[in-house]
Amino acid sequence: MMLDIRDLHANAGNKAILKGLTLSIAPGQVHAIMGPNGSGKSTLSHVLAGKPGYEVTGGTVTWQGRDLLSMPAEERAAAGIFLAMQYPVEIPGVTTINFLRAAVNAQARLRGEKEPDAVTFLRRVKEEREKLNMSDEMVKRPVNVGFSGGEKKRNEVLQMAILKPALAILDETDSGLDIDALKVVAGGINALRAPDRSFLMITHYQRLLDYIAPDFVHVLAAGRIVTSGGPELARRLEAEGYDGIVKVA
Amino acid sequence: MADQATIDTVQSQAGERYKYGFVTDIESVKAPKGLNADIVRYISAKKNEPAWMLEWRLQSFERWLAMREPDWAKLNYPRIDYQDAYYYSEPKAKPKLESLDEVDPKLLETYKKLGIPLTEQKLLAGVAVDAVFDSVSVATTFKGKLAEAGVIFCPISEALQKHPDLVRKYLGTVVPNTDNFFATLNSAVFSDGSFVYVPPGVRCPMELSTYFRINEAQTGQFERTLIIADKGSYVSYLEGCTAPMRDENQLHAAVVELVALEDAEIKYSTVQNWYPGDENGKGGIFNFVTKRGDCRGARSRISWTQVETGSAITWKYPSCILRGDHSVGEFYSIAIANNFQQADTGTKMVHLGRNTSSRIISKGISAGRAQNTYRGLVSAHARAENARNYTQCDSLLIGNRCGAHTVPYVEARNPTVQFEHEATTSKISDDQLFYCLSRGIPAEEAVTLIVNGFCREVLQHLPMEFAVEAQKLIGVSLEGSVG
Ligand SMILES: Nc1ncnc2c1ncn2[C@@H]1O[C@H](COP(=O)(O)OP(=O)(O)O)[C@@H](O)[C@H]1O
Ligand SMILES: [Mg+2]
């Protein structure tokens, strides 16, 4: 297994949010997590990425054989974990291109690798942003400042494409996108599917899964996975709503 | 000679962070400790100055004796004992100005450590350098090329020998020797500094640059810089400063005067990195500087850009007197205060002429237990019809033990004047920090990145090679600010 989450319990602000979550992801798999608002989806993504402010009160998370929870956030990133955030953050004055360069170089350093030269880096950014229909002007603007919701999500996918993680956690990357943008973003994600890369897609709607076929679908409710299945589970959710399924489970 | 005790003290300090904190062991000649009229005479004699210069110094000294140290700034520091310092120090192996080969190799070694562009490579970059080591200008490069253009760029001591009339015509006309306590002290005891004259219609063919270095212990540094841009000329001037780490405080009281005649433009950039003291607030430079530009001619333009990262105390208000009609003054500032540093800095834009305009962009960053104050005056006199000012003051706080203060003074004596002022205070948010961490950027680097972004509008005004240096410096000066 690449990622192994066992009986994970976590608090935010003294409130128990994750209450015994178990999930395993093997290389190359695409898992979708669906669940009602407030069920703990973002909390799970934050705990995996190492965001300060959460307290893990039980359980383990193993990442490529290492104890993930003991690693600082930046080391998790360098070890191949990427989080596309539900609410991407604005950084005034720092251009996306400089931000990405800093990230690529910092990860290389943490891994003890050589930093890629500027020409190679810029070529890669150009290739990837073109796949996502992003203009050069856009990557020269300060990170997410004045971006629409859809542009912010696209910027997250661009960063993922450049950083080439082993596990991409996508937290509601589809929300806020119109149908055309959704297709572009889904295309970008599909292009990154690879035997050694896994995805954990958090979504509220079945819509995204029409474009990115998951191997597994899990339903999260009240901090636990209440039921799991294949793509057909997502369709059932769409038809019946969370209430029915969550209750049955 | 830097005495062994000092060297030991310096070496025993945890000297990791401030990479300029070394001492060069060079023999020096010092004036006796203390300050009196004889010391003033000693300095003047050392420099073989004309009689009027000595007269002006002595007059300044008399005046200074009757003045009181200002206390209106938001700064807290122990009383300075002006008698407990040396007012003149020069490297003993007297440097010849003609060729770099004749400069003491130890000095050149120091400059190498400082990364000062005295070398061939920098010739390519087109930078002419005057380096002031303690009190004496050591070498001025690229004189030939400048002479071709008719530009005079030399130590002010040399200008007093070779161009006394020019110096006499302009010295003290922007910052009079009665101006303020520190400027008057400087007028009495200034040791050296740079002199620039750009003739009418000449665009100075390269960036001019001075590096100031305090090496000696217990030595005050009092440079005096005078730049004159004659009608229709242009010059860009850069200034960098460093000092060794010592656990005593050292005084630096410089004066810079700029004169821009009709249609002339002066761009003055500073990267100030004097030793800031250690993380407990011990040591560091007391930096009391008077910088003022006079837009004397119509349509003249003076632009100050400063990156202030060093010094324990910074008291500095580079200003513009907008005398000529349609003249323009600009002030772009980044002031970083970390640990126990205190900065009280800003500008004065004094609108005297018609249709004058000014622009102030100030970025203050406070971290640790530092206090950072922006103090600015924008005034328009009765004649200053249609004067315009735009001021933007942004403060960024890192942690919650530091302080940021904004003190704007505005006086408009003409009803047609339009002054705008905007101010913001923000913090680096946890979400911003985590966003960087989640991309693999460690916390300290993230802070540097975010702060550089915050300062971008100002960094853009620095000449390219200085901008790169300034960005690195911002990182270094914020070390230890996140924990
Ligand atoms: N810092 C916090 N303090 C207290 N409660 C929190 C905090 N962060 C999140 N929560 C609560 O935890 C629950 C799960 O939040 P979240 O993980 O964002 O849900 P989802 O992403 O599934 O909508 C919500 O009820 C939310 O209000
Ligand atoms: Mg969420």
Side-chain angles (χ1 to χ4, degrees), chain A:
Chain A
M1 277 299 140
M2 186 167 233
L3 179 73
D4 212 353
I5 306 171
R6 297 242 169 115
D7 195 30
L8 182 63
H9 289 73
N11 290 355
N14 280 329
K15 185 178 156 200
I17 314 282
L18 300 181
K19 303 166 188 165
L21 188 144
T22 296
L23 176 69
S24 291
I25 300 180
Q29 290 178 346
V30 177
H31 290 241
I33 289 195
M34 304 185 71
N37 276 333
S39 56
K41 303 185 296 297
S42 291
T43 301
L44 172 64
S45 75
H46 290 154
V47 169
L48 293 178
K51 184 172 182 169
Y54 295 91
E55 187 196 359
V56 173
T57 52
T60 57
V61 180
T62 311
W63 167 247
Q64 294 175 330
R66 298 169 70 183
D67 172 14
L68 183 73
L69 299 176
S70 69
M71 292 161 68
E74 69 272 23
E75 280 178 27
R76 299 185 197 194
I81 291 184
F82 178 87
L83 169 60
M85 296 192 190
Q86 181 175 4
Y87 303 109
V89 179
E90 298 183 2
I91 309 183
V94 180
T95 62
T96 293
I97 198 120
N98 279 350
F99 180 69
L100 266 172
R101 185 95 212 267
V104 165
N105 288 348
Q107 290 201 9
R109 277 198 306 276
L110 285 169
R111 287 195 289 258
E113 294 165 3
K114 217 174 126 254
E115 297 174 3
D117 64 85
V119 178
T120 313
F121 170 77
L122 291 172
R123 191 173 342 105
R124 289 221 40 228
V125 171
K126 183 166 188 290
E127 273 167 30
E128 298 299 343
R129 73 165 171 73
E130 280 174 355
K131 283 188 206 157
L132 289 163
N133 272 344
M134 286 172 74
S135 65
D136 185 41
E137 185 265 329
M138 204 154 151
V139 294
K140 287 181 177 156
R141 271 159 57 181
V143 178
N144 295 325
V145 176
F147 283 23
S148 70
E151 286 170 335
K152 286 183 181 172
K153 297 302 173 70
R154 221 178 271 204
N155 200 9
E156 296 290 284
V157 177
L158 173 70
Q159 293 175 44
M160 172 173 73
I162 298 294
L163 294 170
K164 292 199 174 302
L167 172 69
I169 304 166
L170 305 170
D171 191 358
E172 300 212 21
T173 300
D174 53 331
S175 59
L177 297 184
D178 60 31
I179 192 72
D180 293 330
L182 181 68
K183 281 181 189 163
V184 172
V185 165
I189 295 169
N190 280 325
L192 287 170
R193 287 181 76 158
D196 57 354
R197 180 170 298 126
S198 315
F199 290 85
L200 181 58
M201 292 195 305
I202 293 170
T203 181
H204 197 71
Y205 307 102
Q206 129 86 22
R207 198 174 69 143
L208 178 67
L209 308 181
D210 290 339
Y211 298 94
I212 306 169
D215 300 305
F216 301 93
V217 174
H218 312 276
V219 177
L220 182 67
R224 308 180 55 194
I225 288 178
V226 291
T227 182
S228 298
E232 78 290 345
L233 178 58
R235 281 190 287 276
R236 244 185 77 206
L237 271 174
E238 188 82 350
E240 298 171 24
Y242 285 109
D243 285 354
I245 293 192
V246 169
K247 265 191 214 111
V248 172

Side-chain angles (χ1 to χ4, degrees), chain B residues 331-459:
Chain B
F331 175 73
Y332 300 104
S333 170
I334 296 169
I336 298 184
N338 192 6
N339 297 319
F340 286 85
Q341 280 177 278
Q342 302 173 62
D344 193 301
T345 183
T347 185
K348 283 189 266 186
M349 293 290 174
V350 180
H351 293 254
L352 301 179
R354 297 192 176 89
N355 300 307
T356 48
S357 67
S358 59
R359 187 175 167 82
I360 299 170
I361 309 283
S362 158
K363 305 279 181 176
I365 297 106
S366 321
R369 293 166 184 267
Q371 295 294 329
N372 204 335
T373 302
Y374 169 82
R375 189 180 302 277
L377 166 74
V378 179
S379 71
H381 288 237
R383 213 187 133 259
E385 264 162 47
N386 295 317
R388 297 274 180 280
N389 167 267
Y390 174 74
T391 298
Q392 184 187 326
C393 266
D394 297 322
S395 304
L396 185 70
L397 299 168
I398 302 172
N400 44 27
R401 290 182 303 180
C402 53
H405 318 274
T406 302
V407 191
Y409 303 92
V410 177
E411 299 165 8
R413 300 227 177 85
N414 184 302
T416 62
V417 159
Q418 281 184 29
F419 289 166
E420 275 178 80
H421 180 98
E422 285 176 28
T424 66
T425 299
S426 53
K427 276 193 148 197
I428 294 185
S429 74
D430 291 345
D431 284 347
Q432 283 175 327
L433 217 45
F434 174 62
Y435 196 63
C436 295
L437 292 174
S438 77
R439 301 313 187 234
I441 303 169
E444 281 207 343
E445 209 184 317
V447 168
T448 302
L449 191 72
I450 294 167
V451 170
N452 271 308
F454 173 74
C455 298
R456 191 157 90 126
E457 279 168 280
V458 173
L459 289 169

